[in-house]
Amino acid sequence: MRDINTIIQAREKCYRCYRPLSSCMCSHVRPVSTETKFVILMHPKEFKKTKNGTGHLTHLSLPNSELYIDVDFTDHAAVNAIIGDEGNRCYLLYPGKESIYLNEHPLNNHDKRAVIFLIDSTWPCSVKILRLSKNLQALPRLSFTHTKRSQFQIKEQPEEYCLSTIESTLSVLELLNQHGTERIAQEALEMFLEPFWAMVAYQLQCASSKEDSVRFKPKEAKD
């Protein structure tokens, strides 16, 4: 029989990373300062995924970031204030035919502060957020390509090229660094995913332990 303190910890929540206290990842977060502001738009369903969501970890890792939860951001006061600020040049990280391809083109902000909106959700939910949010539809889009394979071993990605929110953010930071928009130390970039790695390792350990109370369906190997 498990210790009562272990059971209590598993039920209580850390209100920074929004994970159970027994698996809090805050100690693994290595904040990275950026000139670019990041705004994470989280779908309510993603907010409930306390055991494998990376949006909160991304927010904690970026001091110059904000996080908001909704489905339709059309009338969201804080989001509209950021978009309407004349000192900001806002972008949406989302693929599109006319998106700015970050691998080849640096951001031209005209002496304004770059603000990048990130949608944290599953692909179907992100499509719905964009369809409903008229203010986001008007933003210039950013996209990138990569040769990375997601290390999110506890979650099935819809396609091989898909990355989690925190992995996508790292790719963007690396490209911004490459173009001189950011000047982030290489060591900081290398440690950016530490809370993500720790979370995945913890979940894999739970999956192999018969005594642990955390349950999830592990990723199935493809033929």
Side-chain angles (χ1 to χ4, degrees), residues 1-222:
M1 187 173 183
R2 291 194 300 155
D3 183 86
I4 186 63
N5 291 327
T6 303
I7 297 174
I8 292 174
Q9 246 195 344
R11 291 177 178 174
E12 292 183 337
K13 181 182 293 186
C14 169
Y15 287 97
R16 289 190 72 245
C17 66
Y18 284 87
R19 293 179 56 83
L21 284 180
S22 58
S23 61
C24 173
M25 293 295 148
C26 292
S27 63
H28 298 282
V29 173
R30 301 292 180 267
V32 173
S33 296
T34 61
E35 295 294 329
T36 306
K37 185 181 184 66
F38 289 85
V39 182
I40 302 162
L41 306 178
M42 181 181 290
H43 192 281
K45 289 184 179 179
E46 204 67 27
F47 178 77
K48 297 177 182 179
K49 297 178 182 178
T50 58
K51 295 174 183 176
N52 63 13
T54 67
H56 289 295
L57 297 180
T58 304
H59 178 45
L60 290 175
S61 299
L62 296 171
N64 191 12
S65 70
E66 298 181 27
L67 186 153
Y68 301 107
I69 303 164
D70 212 330
V71 178
D72 183 357
F73 290 91
T74 301
D75 298 317
H76 195 286
V79 168
N80 285 329
I82 294 171
I83 294 175
D85 188 332
E86 295 184 357
N88 293 335
R89 174 67 170 160
C90 298
Y91 304 90
L92 175 67
L93 185 65
Y94 205 90
K97 292 182 179 179
E98 298 182 359
S99 64
I100 300 169
Y101 184 49
L102 276 177
N103 297 68
E104 297 178 358
H105 302 289
L107 299 183
N108 189 354
N109 301 319
H110 305 290
D111 296 324
K112 294 186 177 183
R113 177 176 63 170
V115 179
I116 298 179
F117 285 83
L118 310 171
I119 297 180
D120 181 49
S121 69
T122 61
W123 181 252
C125 287
S126 71
V127 171
K128 183 175 182 180
I129 287 176
L130 187 56
R131 177 171 55 82
L132 294 175
S133 304
K134 307 302 181 184
N135 49 356
L136 300 182
Q137 295 174 17
L139 298 179
R141 298 185 187 182
L142 303 178
S143 65
F144 64 89
T145 57
H146 62 89
T147 57
K148 302 176 181 179
R149 187 181 182 88
S150 178
Q151 299 176 54
F152 215 164
Q153 301 175 53
I154 58 176
K155 180 180 179 181
E156 184 73 33
Q157 297 291 2
E159 299 290 344
E160 285 191 7
Y161 61 82
C162 292
L163 300 175
S164 66
T165 298
I166 195 168
E167 291 173 303
S168 296
T169 303
L170 175 60
S171 293
V172 170
L173 292 175
E174 290 172 336
L175 290 169
L176 294 178
N177 238 25
Q178 179 181 314
H179 294 310
T181 304
E182 294 290 345
R183 300 186 183 279
I184 304 169
Q186 184 60 34
E187 181 181 0
L189 291 174
E190 292 173 355
M191 298 298 290
F192 187 75
L193 293 183
E194 185 168 328
F196 171 72
W197 294 328
M199 180 190 71
V200 171
Y202 176 83
Q203 296 297 93
L204 291 175
Q205 181 183 18
C206 290
S208 63
S209 174
K210 294 180 180 179
E211 295 180 358
D212 202 284
S213 62
V214 178
R215 299 185 180 92
F216 66 91
K217 185 178 181 180
K219 204 173 174 183
E220 294 181 359
K222 291 185 178 180

